[in-house]
Amino acid sequence: MSNNTTTEVNQEEEIAPPLDAKALASGRDHPVNVSLKAEGKIRLYTTMVRIRRFEERAVRAYQQGKIGGFLHDYIGQESIAVGCCSLMKEHDHVITAYRDHGHAIAVGMNQNALMAELYGKVTGCSKGKGGSMHYFAPDKNYWGGHGIVAGQTPLGTGLAYALKYKGLKGCCMCFMGDGAVNQGVFHESLNLAQLWKLPVIYVIENNGYSMGTSLARSSAFSDSLAMRAEGYNMAWDTGNGHLIYEVRAKVAAAIERAHEHSLPTLLELKTYRYRGHSIADANAEKYRTKDEIRRTRETKDPISIFKTILLEEKVLTEDIAKDIEKSARDEANNAADYADRSPYPPVEDITNDVYWSVDNPGKHDNHGKIFFND
Amino acid sequence: MSNNTTTEVNQEEEIAPPLDAKALASGRDHPVNVSLKAEGKIRLYTTMVRIRRFEERAVRAYQQGKIGGFLHDYIGQESIAVGCCSLMKEHDHVITAYRDHGHAIAVGMNQNALMAELYGKVTGCSKGKGGSMHYFAPDKNYWGGHGIVAGQTPLGTGLAYALKYKGLKGCCMCFMGDGAVNQGVFHESLNLAQLWKLPVIYVIENNGYSMGTSLARSSAFSDSLAMRAEGYNMAWDTGNGHLIYEVRAKVAAAIERAHEHSLPTLLELKTYRYRGHSIADANAEKYRTKDEIRRTRETKDPISIFKTILLEEKVLTEDIAKDIEKSARDEANNAADYADRSPYPPVEDITNDVYWSVDNPGKHDNHGKIFFND
Amino acid sequence: MPLITYRQALKDGLAEEIIRDPNVLIMGEEVAQYNGAYKVTEGLWERFGDKRVVDAPISEAGFIGLGIGASMLGIRPVMELMFFSFAYVAWDQMVNNAACVRYMSGGLINVPIVIRGPANGGTNVGATHSHTPENQLANFPGLKVVCPATPYDVKGLIKSAIRDNDPVYFMENTLLYGMQGEVPVEEYTIPIGKADVKRAGTDITLIAHGRAVITCLKAAELLATEHEISCEVVDLRSIRPLDEEAILASVRKTHRALLVEENKPFCGVGAQISHLIQDKAFDDLDGPVKRLSSIDAPAIYSDPLEKYQLPNPQRVIEAVLKMI
Amino acid sequence: MPLITYRQALKDGLAEEIIRDPNVLIMGEEVAQYNGAYKVTEGLWERFGDKRVVDAPISEAGFIGLGIGASMLGIRPVMELMFFSFAYVAWDQMVNNAACVRYMSGGLINVPIVIRGPANGGTNVGATHSHTPENQLANFPGLKVVCPATPYDVKGLIKSAIRDNDPVYFMENTLLYGMQGEVPVEEYTIPIGKADVKRAGTDITLIAHGRAVITCLKAAELLATEHEISCEVVDLRSIRPLDEEAILASVRKTHRALLVEENKPFCGVGAQISHLIQDKAFDDLDGPVKRLSSIDAPAIYSDPLEKYQLPNPQRVIEAVLKMI
Ligand SMILES: Cc1ncc(C[n+]2csc(CCOP(=O)(O)OP(=O)(O)O)c2C)c(N)n1
Ligand SMILES: Cc1ncc(C[n+]2csc(CCOP(=O)(O)OP(=O)(O)O)c2C)c(N)n1
Ligand SMILES: [Mg+2]
Ligand SMILES: [Mg+2]
């Protein structure tokens, strides 16, 4: 009932031919990009590079056995998190799945705390309790980092609900993968968001695969996954996620719809991950051709593409690019050293942060026994 | 965030104006109806009347306190179950929700066993263990009778999967209410059905309300609920469920799609329930106007409409109609007497029918304790 | 003190909290315009309007997940499950997102949500609508589970639950909604985690929660009058946190314990309490701790059998007589 | 007998049943072309093709519900949950439709489905992926729950599970997949519900299931060599049905019981067994039944702490020494 060959074909079409210069600059004319000053463009580029170096460093640490469990890297998709988060205003919020390092850095989380979390150290952003899949930073309007596929979609809908309830002009960008569209709770969320006119933007980061399963083998659809919004009478759009200008242009329209009209949008952005589903994924090159991966890297890498554009725009020079590279590497290496030097949490920590009432003794009128170890 | 007035309006439009003669006969020219002999037409009419009388009798028993719990009657919707089930062939199967009396009678279940089940008697179709919401008759290809909204939708998809797996030419008609479209598992089912090309027909019996909530307050959509199939590239259609000829015409097309091409269909049929959500529902006339109910009864009752048509077709005469009425009443009354006379299950029955291995001792190599009452 | 129903007391508690805190809202199926499937929220929509009392589509996973997300931003949603049985379609949201987010964020996030509704059998509606998941939910560190048995308790506890910064799952019983009891007019709250001795006695301790408490009180009365057996009835009120002191104090006094619950027996609440008692009061026991639960099968539809399947005074009395 | 891994034994059992019965099929995420997230089904898709080994989208409620429906028509689906933690998004299908349909139909319908997958923590993946729901599932009459600990047991039990006409939830452990053990070449099955004494002893009985059995065996070895304490290790193998005779026989011999499980403690499997022992072997006990479970918090990510959070030989030894 599943058919691999057709899939391969779909994928081939997806990728070739490489985009020409004009296509590369798609979205440049949109106000949000026109209004971008040089520093702003450099910052976009820098953040993408910082994400990439952070993750490459994390992958090395994983291979050295310093990190265990799952490590889902975002390499190849940086333009989406960076493009979307670069437009966040005071009351805009972000929530995503387990492939969450890029978004965490894009909202401004500190790499030391992020790397230490991967190492399971007490200095981690979640004190070593959440790990790679469960990053959080409420102070940065960043609500995770969720391990259950699509589990974050009603939460993101609820963040938008709270904003509307409080009368704040903001929205929630709720990121998810292409495989998450087949979880029922996502559809329940779509219906609630449109029915109640909530300022939420569901961003499908369509990298063509859910683990080893290509889109064609997991989802029934005609033209796009985003079209599923149509059944809910919800606004939807698709875009090329490799192009950060286009990402910003597309999400800007959705943000305006959320801010000005308190309406949701389903936005599907095509992207690609070069590595396996997680670093432990030994099949990375089995369910797709080496060639497919190579050609995507060469023709569609969001960082290379944006670099080309910025060089052509004379915003970037090879020297500046080198400096950006170097400080990004240094930042990542320092983060790894910091994580290495940091201590593990003490054993007592295991039962902290379970209940607010336990962590804030006397503040709640709670009695009785709440942990049952003896 | 919810808006009742707009709803009312929607509903008004739904109902008026009454259908003219030509409209009433919609679907008559379809082969499945053209080929219908007089007996066949009489049988359709008779089955609808038998369902109506059975339920009216059950309602009386409920009001007399002979039946407790929930009793969700199907009065006003009979044309759908009867129209759809009248086309069942050897390998066609049916599954539905808790509003399941009509389907049970339409597939040919015995009214004595059905009424006894409502009374909680051991002679009931489920030995008094399932009740009104949980009728089953595998021997009639009838798989329930399910209390959890939309919980039956993946089951129906699975019945279709089994038919395809076994290479049988058949389909599953999976009935559901308009409120069930907002349960995630229904969407997961749609995706699986289209992705794997399963011979399943999802029939939405859209009676305009889920309990006290009008369609407009529960579901976001543009033209129809059935359009949600579009996002899955699935065939869909809508129809007037009050007209049994049209019901048969619409479902016949879906059955052919299932039988000949092993493809699913999402079919939405407009209908109406006159009484409350369940007999215990005291609000029946609160969330909609008395007038709305009255005018629907007068202009859209599926039995009256079909009677008019059959009289006009000279297939039916008032005398025959009277006989049908009488024997339907007798059948329902006899069922009530039978239920009344039947004994309750013995206490030992409580722990029967839980495990096949317990009910068939020695046939399974199971050891140990499986019930924990002492 | 005025006599009011469990339903009324619960509604009053909800209304008082809606008035007290602008972040409190009620959401669920049919809670607003329909006045609640069991009329717990009757009149609240007229009183407080669309913003504070919200009708939801039949999307438990969706709207409960939405409530959890909103609570992370400081809203205090009180979610009604029309039946707690429907929690099973929202299970992942309830046991992963609500229970684990605070922990996985190292304490950066709270989920001050209340999920309430009837969690009981005995209403002649069959297995799918008669589940009692308190034992399963209390298995999850991060959650609190409360099961009030009286009008006084339900009001005091719902107010504490709404003010609690942790997720509180609040399990009621449709068969108790109409029960009357004394409830003071002046405001009060009841601390979560405190059991209540509903009847003092000396010969045996009956430990129960929810409607089983009422069953035990009836049985205790009959045992006193007809058998001269003095039962102490301990109402847990809260399953997690659990008032171990109250349980142990009573057993140390009576030396015998019968645990009564409407849960199914395997790994039910009684199992946990039985372990506790034999562990902490081993030498105080005159005999093994006994349990009485629903007869171990899905809830049967047939009314008289279902009444027998659940613990009832007669079954409690028989169990006690076997023990003494 | 040849030494093979738990994973290989499980795969061999699956393959043998696929060959034996044309109605047996395997379905789950990544089970076919990807060879299984944990390689349990490696090679089966090449061997048996699209019809017998099916990749499913990430729709657990949908495809498990589909499997239940298909099983009603006589198909025998073996569903893989990549992690048993994901059962929570399919909970309603698993505990209502699979567990109650036979009952509600008065015995007219069977649901011969197997749902299998790893149900364990200890793999450094955090709380959402480390759930152990055996106690919750065994709470439901209508379900069977099996937790094999060795290559020999996993093969014999998966074959019985697939042939069983009731729903069997089969819980494995990613940390055991690589473990080697002796498995006969000739075909065999192991009856569901039979415990196995994995080590005979006289001073105390350690009762466990799944990986905790291995933990107990390690502890028993050290207790024997370093403390001259003789532990009997009873492997439950099946949680429901439960081999009460085996449990009681061992406790009547040793007079002491420590219940070890990777479950969270509240209403865990150990609670049920503790109640059973004090109830049926009250006078045989030299002291209270003790339990050792995961430390009562969501699974922590940090590797060294998670290793400590789960029962490990050291914690078992400390618990035993406290008891003797
Ligand atoms: C409910 C649930 N089922 C299965 C998994 C295991 N799983 C984790 S990620 C994943 C694939 C998701 O793919 P996609 O949504 O496309 O996101 P991507 O990994 O491509 O970013 C699966 C099956 C899970 N975490 N949660
Ligand atoms: C998961 C779940 N949530 C809520 C309910 C309670 N409930 C039973 S029927 C119903 C309304 C369903 O309406 P609809 O699907 O339109 O079917 P209708 O009653 O109109 O036939 C609700 C909310 C339920 N049974 N299951
Ligand atoms: Mg993907
Ligand atoms: Mg309806």
mmCIF file of all heavy atoms in Angstrom, chain B residues 264-290:
data_model
loop_
_atom_site.group_PDB
_atom_site.id
_atom_site.type_symbol
_atom_site.label_atom_id
_atom_site.label_comp_id
_atom_site.label_asym_id
_atom_site.label_seq_id
_atom_site.Cartn_x
_atom_site.Cartn_y
_atom_site.Cartn_z
ATOM 1 N N PRO B 264 -12.219 5.826 -0.793
ATOM 2 C CA PRO B 264 -13.144 6.338 0.222
ATOM 3 C C PRO B 264 -13.939 7.547 -0.265
ATOM 4 O O PRO B 264 -13.581 8.168 -1.273
ATOM 5 C CB PRO B 264 -12.209 6.761 1.349
ATOM 6 C CG PRO B 264 -10.957 7.185 0.657
ATOM 7 C CD PRO B 264 -10.835 6.296 -0.565
ATOM 8 N N THR B 265 -15.011 7.847 0.436
ATOM 9 C CA THR B 265 -15.840 9.023 0.152
ATOM 10 C C THR B 265 -16.288 9.631 1.463
ATOM 11 O O THR B 265 -16.564 8.907 2.418
ATOM 12 C CB THR B 265 -17.102 8.615 -0.638
ATOM 13 O OG1 THR B 265 -16.720 7.955 -1.838
ATOM 14 C CG2 THR B 265 -17.959 9.849 -0.973
ATOM 15 N N LEU B 266 -16.347 10.938 1.495
ATOM 16 C CA LEU B 266 -16.946 11.625 2.634
ATOM 17 C C LEU B 266 -18.258 12.232 2.163
ATOM 18 O O LEU B 266 -18.281 13.093 1.284
ATOM 19 C CB LEU B 266 -16.017 12.723 3.169
ATOM 20 C CG LEU B 266 -16.558 13.565 4.333
ATOM 21 C CD1 LEU B 266 -17.026 12.698 5.490
ATOM 22 C CD2 LEU B 266 -15.495 14.552 4.826
ATOM 23 N N LEU B 267 -19.356 11.721 2.704
ATOM 24 C CA LEU B 267 -20.690 12.113 2.252
ATOM 25 C C LEU B 267 -21.444 12.787 3.393
ATOM 26 O O LEU B 267 -21.604 12.204 4.461
ATOM 27 C CB LEU B 267 -21.445 10.866 1.774
ATOM 28 C CG LEU B 267 -22.887 11.042 1.298
ATOM 29 C CD1 LEU B 267 -22.963 12.006 0.124
ATOM 30 C CD2 LEU B 267 -23.477 9.681 0.915
ATOM 31 N N GLU B 268 -21.842 14.029 3.168
ATOM 32 C CA GLU B 268 -22.594 14.763 4.193
ATOM 33 C C GLU B 268 -24.056 14.857 3.791
ATOM 34 O O GLU B 268 -24.373 15.336 2.707
ATOM 35 C CB GLU B 268 -22.011 16.178 4.338
ATOM 36 C CG GLU B 268 -22.765 17.052 5.325
ATOM 37 C CD GLU B 268 -22.201 18.471 5.379
ATOM 38 O OE1 GLU B 268 -21.209 18.759 4.667
ATOM 39 O OE2 GLU B 268 -22.773 19.303 6.118
ATOM 40 N N LEU B 269 -24.923 14.376 4.662
ATOM 41 C CA LEU B 269 -26.353 14.405 4.376
ATOM 42 C C LEU B 269 -27.067 15.277 5.401
ATOM 43 O O LEU B 269 -26.957 15.047 6.611
ATOM 44 C CB LEU B 269 -26.916 12.979 4.395
ATOM 45 C CG LEU B 269 -26.322 12.048 3.328
ATOM 46 C CD1 LEU B 269 -26.779 10.608 3.550
ATOM 47 C CD2 LEU B 269 -26.681 12.525 1.928
ATOM 48 N N LYS B 270 -27.788 16.277 4.903
ATOM 49 C CA LYS B 270 -28.510 17.198 5.789
ATOM 50 C C LYS B 270 -29.756 16.502 6.326
ATOM 51 O O LYS B 270 -30.507 15.883 5.570
ATOM 52 C CB LYS B 270 -28.908 18.456 5.027
ATOM 53 C CG LYS B 270 -27.741 19.309 4.594
ATOM 54 C CD LYS B 270 -27.403 20.350 5.649
ATOM 55 C CE LYS B 270 -26.252 21.270 5.279
ATOM 56 N NZ LYS B 270 -25.581 21.043 4.018
ATOM 57 N N THR B 271 -29.961 16.608 7.617
ATOM 58 C CA THR B 271 -31.128 15.998 8.228
ATOM 59 C C THR B 271 -31.534 16.801 9.457
ATOM 60 O O THR B 271 -31.040 17.931 9.639
ATOM 61 C CB THR B 271 -30.836 14.509 8.573
ATOM 62 O OG1 THR B 271 -31.981 13.929 9.167
ATOM 63 C CG2 THR B 271 -29.638 14.376 9.491
ATOM 64 N N TYR B 272 -32.381 16.258 10.274
ATOM 65 C CA TYR B 272 -32.863 17.009 11.438
ATOM 66 C C TYR B 272 -33.417 16.031 12.461
ATOM 67 O O TYR B 272 -33.972 15.000 12.102
ATOM 68 C CB TYR B 272 -33.976 17.984 11.009
ATOM 69 C CG TYR B 272 -34.253 19.092 12.000
ATOM 70 C CD1 TYR B 272 -33.453 20.227 12.007
ATOM 71 C CD2 TYR B 272 -35.290 18.994 12.911
ATOM 72 C CE1 TYR B 272 -33.698 21.259 12.915
ATOM 73 C CE2 TYR B 272 -35.539 20.019 13.824
ATOM 74 C CZ TYR B 272 -34.734 21.145 13.823
ATOM 75 O OH TYR B 272 -34.980 22.157 14.720
ATOM 76 N N ARG B 273 -33.182 16.340 13.738
ATOM 77 C CA ARG B 273 -33.837 15.526 14.770
ATOM 78 C C ARG B 273 -34.865 16.396 15.466
ATOM 79 O O ARG B 273 -34.600 17.548 15.799
ATOM 80 C CB ARG B 273 -32.837 14.936 15.754
ATOM 81 C CG ARG B 273 -32.181 15.901 16.694
ATOM 82 C CD ARG B 273 -31.430 15.231 17.840
ATOM 83 N NE ARG B 273 -30.293 16.045 18.272
ATOM 84 C CZ ARG B 273 -30.409 17.120 19.029
ATOM 85 N NH1 ARG B 273 -31.589 17.529 19.440
ATOM 86 N NH2 ARG B 273 -29.332 17.815 19.387
ATOM 87 N N TYR B 274 -36.059 15.844 15.658
ATOM 88 C CA TYR B 274 -37.151 16.640 16.225
ATOM 89 C C TYR B 274 -37.019 16.777 17.735
ATOM 90 O O TYR B 274 -37.292 17.824 18.312
ATOM 91 C CB TYR B 274 -38.504 15.995 15.916
ATOM 92 C CG TYR B 274 -38.753 15.748 14.443
ATOM 93 C CD1 TYR B 274 -39.448 14.614 14.028
ATOM 94 C CD2 TYR B 274 -38.291 16.639 13.474
ATOM 95 C CE1 TYR B 274 -39.695 14.376 12.689
ATOM 96 C CE2 TYR B 274 -38.535 16.410 12.127
ATOM 97 C CZ TYR B 274 -39.234 15.278 11.746
ATOM 98 O OH TYR B 274 -39.471 15.037 10.427
ATOM 99 N N ARG B 275 -36.619 15.687 18.369
ATOM 100 C CA ARG B 275 -36.603 15.695 19.830
ATOM 101 C C ARG B 275 -35.258 16.187 20.349
ATOM 102 O O ARG B 275 -34.385 16.593 19.592
ATOM 103 C CB ARG B 275 -36.869 14.283 20.350
ATOM 104 C CG ARG B 275 -38.259 13.795 20.027
ATOM 105 C CD ARG B 275 -38.392 12.349 20.464
ATOM 106 N NE ARG B 275 -39.745 11.863 20.260
ATOM 107 C CZ ARG B 275 -40.707 11.970 21.176
ATOM 108 N NH1 ARG B 275 -40.462 12.538 22.337
ATOM 109 N NH2 ARG B 275 -41.908 11.503 20.912
ATOM 110 N N GLY B 276 -35.109 16.103 21.645
ATOM 111 C CA GLY B 276 -33.862 16.524 22.265
ATOM 112 C C GLY B 276 -32.728 15.587 21.898
ATOM 113 O O GLY B 276 -32.941 14.541 21.276
ATOM 114 N N HIS B 277 -31.533 15.968 22.301
ATOM 115 C CA HIS B 277 -30.353 15.143 22.033
ATOM 116 C C HIS B 277 -30.586 13.723 22.536
ATOM 117 O O HIS B 277 -30.285 12.748 21.862
ATOM 118 C CB HIS B 277 -29.135 15.754 22.714
ATOM 119 C CG HIS B 277 -27.965 14.852 22.718
ATOM 120 N ND1 HIS B 277 -27.298 14.530 21.560
ATOM 121 C CD2 HIS B 277 -27.373 14.162 23.722
ATOM 122 C CE1 HIS B 277 -26.322 13.693 21.863
ATOM 123 N NE2 HIS B 277 -26.348 13.443 23.144
ATOM 124 N N SER B 278 -31.100 13.634 23.725
ATOM 125 C CA SER B 278 -31.562 12.342 24.255
ATOM 126 C C SER B 278 -32.899 12.621 24.930
ATOM 127 O O SER B 278 -33.269 13.777 25.109
ATOM 128 C CB SER B 278 -30.560 11.770 25.260
ATOM 129 O OG SER B 278 -30.678 12.456 26.496
ATOM 130 N N ILE B 279 -33.591 11.555 25.284
ATOM 131 C CA ILE B 279 -34.913 11.776 25.870
ATOM 132 C C ILE B 279 -34.802 12.579 27.166
ATOM 133 O O ILE B 279 -35.714 13.306 27.540
ATOM 134 C CB ILE B 279 -35.612 10.419 26.118
ATOM 135 C CG1 ILE B 279 -35.715 9.650 24.798
ATOM 136 C CG2 ILE B 279 -37.002 10.623 26.701
ATOM 137 C CD1 ILE B 279 -36.248 10.477 23.635
ATOM 138 N N ALA B 280 -33.639 12.473 27.815
ATOM 139 C CA ALA B 280 -33.464 13.199 29.073
ATOM 140 C C ALA B 280 -33.198 14.692 28.836
ATOM 141 O O ALA B 280 -33.211 15.484 29.768
ATOM 142 C CB ALA B 280 -32.304 12.581 29.854
ATOM 143 N N ASP B 281 -32.964 15.068 27.572
ATOM 144 C CA ASP B 281 -32.601 16.449 27.248
ATOM 145 C C ASP B 281 -33.793 17.384 27.422
ATOM 146 O O ASP B 281 -34.705 17.410 26.606
ATOM 147 C CB ASP B 281 -32.077 16.507 25.809
ATOM 148 C CG ASP B 281 -31.806 17.935 25.338
ATOM 149 O OD1 ASP B 281 -31.918 18.867 26.157
ATOM 150 O OD2 ASP B 281 -31.478 18.092 24.155
ATOM 151 N N ALA B 282 -33.762 18.169 28.482
ATOM 152 C CA ALA B 282 -34.881 19.074 28.788
ATOM 153 C C ALA B 282 -34.808 20.347 27.947
ATOM 154 O O ALA B 282 -35.743 21.128 27.903
ATOM 155 C CB ALA B 282 -34.855 19.430 30.270
ATOM 156 N N ASN B 283 -33.669 20.527 27.267
ATOM 157 C CA ASN B 283 -33.454 21.782 26.533
ATOM 158 C C ASN B 283 -33.909 21.731 25.085
ATOM 159 O O ASN B 283 -33.668 22.678 24.329
ATOM 160 C CB ASN B 283 -31.969 22.137 26.546
ATOM 161 C CG ASN B 283 -31.508 22.549 27.922
ATOM 162 O OD1 ASN B 283 -32.285 22.560 28.859
ATOM 163 N ND2 ASN B 283 -30.234 22.885 28.043
ATOM 164 N N ALA B 284 -34.515 20.612 24.691
ATOM 165 C CA ALA B 284 -34.787 20.371 23.270
ATOM 166 C C ALA B 284 -35.298 21.604 22.533
ATOM 167 O O ALA B 284 -34.973 21.838 21.379
ATOM 168 C CB ALA B 284 -35.776 19.225 23.116
ATOM 169 N N GLU B 285 -36.087 22.412 23.217
ATOM 170 C CA GLU B 285 -36.666 23.577 22.525
ATOM 171 C C GLU B 285 -36.038 24.882 22.983
ATOM 172 O O GLU B 285 -36.577 25.957 22.760
ATOM 173 C CB GLU B 285 -38.190 23.592 22.750
ATOM 174 C CG GLU B 285 -38.862 22.373 22.133
ATOM 175 C CD GLU B 285 -40.369 22.328 22.391
ATOM 176 O OE1 GLU B 285 -40.830 23.052 23.288
ATOM 177 O OE2 GLU B 285 -41.058 21.572 21.674
ATOM 178 N N LYS B 286 -34.892 24.805 23.599
ATOM 179 C CA LYS B 286 -34.255 26.040 24.080
ATOM 180 C C LYS B 286 -33.214 26.550 23.084
ATOM 181 O O LYS B 286 -33.132 27.733 22.800
ATOM 182 C CB LYS B 286 -33.598 25.793 25.437
ATOM 183 C CG LYS B 286 -34.615 25.515 26.546
ATOM 184 C CD LYS B 286 -34.183 26.101 27.878
ATOM 185 C CE LYS B 286 -35.218 25.860 28.968
ATOM 186 N NZ LYS B 286 -34.865 24.749 29.860
ATOM 187 N N TYR B 287 -32.402 25.642 22.539
ATOM 188 C CA TYR B 287 -31.311 26.093 21.672
ATOM 189 C C TYR B 287 -31.764 26.246 20.217
ATOM 190 O O TYR B 287 -30.965 26.505 19.329
ATOM 191 C CB TYR B 287 -30.109 25.145 21.765
ATOM 192 C CG TYR B 287 -30.452 23.673 21.646
ATOM 193 C CD1 TYR B 287 -30.647 23.082 20.407
ATOM 194 C CD2 TYR B 287 -30.575 22.882 22.791
ATOM 195 C CE1 TYR B 287 -30.949 21.729 20.290
ATOM 196 C CE2 TYR B 287 -30.887 21.524 22.683
ATOM 197 C CZ TYR B 287 -31.071 20.963 21.442
ATOM 198 O OH TYR B 287 -31.369 19.622 21.343
ATOM 199 N N ARG B 288 -33.048 26.066 19.992
ATOM 200 C CA ARG B 288 -33.620 26.273 18.660
ATOM 201 C C ARG B 288 -35.085 26.628 18.886
ATOM 202 O O ARG B 288 -35.651 26.330 19.937
ATOM 203 C CB ARG B 288 -33.471 25.017 17.809
ATOM 204 C CG ARG B 288 -33.928 23.773 18.542
ATOM 205 C CD ARG B 288 -33.627 22.485 17.809
ATOM 206 N NE ARG B 288 -34.338 21.385 18.475
ATOM 207 C CZ ARG B 288 -34.357 20.139 18.037
ATOM 208 N NH1 ARG B 288 -33.703 19.810 16.935
ATOM 209 N NH2 ARG B 288 -35.016 19.207 18.692
ATOM 210 N N THR B 289 -35.699 27.264 17.896
ATOM 211 C CA THR B 289 -37.071 27.726 18.120
ATOM 212 C C THR B 289 -38.066 26.580 17.913
ATOM 213 O O THR B 289 -37.851 25.704 17.071
ATOM 214 C CB THR B 289 -37.429 28.841 17.112
ATOM 215 O OG1 THR B 289 -37.374 28.280 15.800
ATOM 216 C CG2 THR B 289 -36.435 29.998 17.232
ATOM 217 N N LYS B 290 -39.141 26.642 18.699
ATOM 218 C CA LYS B 290 -40.248 25.684 18.509
ATOM 219 C C LYS B 290 -40.635 25.693 17.032
ATOM 220 O O LYS B 290 -40.915 24.679 16.421
ATOM 221 C CB LYS B 290 -41.457 26.131 19.334
ATOM 222 C CG LYS B 290 -41.486 25.678 20.772
ATOM 223 C CD LYS B 290 -42.919 25.874 21.318
ATOM 224 C CE LYS B 290 -43.105 25.264 22.690
ATOM 225 N NZ LYS B 290 -42.178 25.824 23.695
#
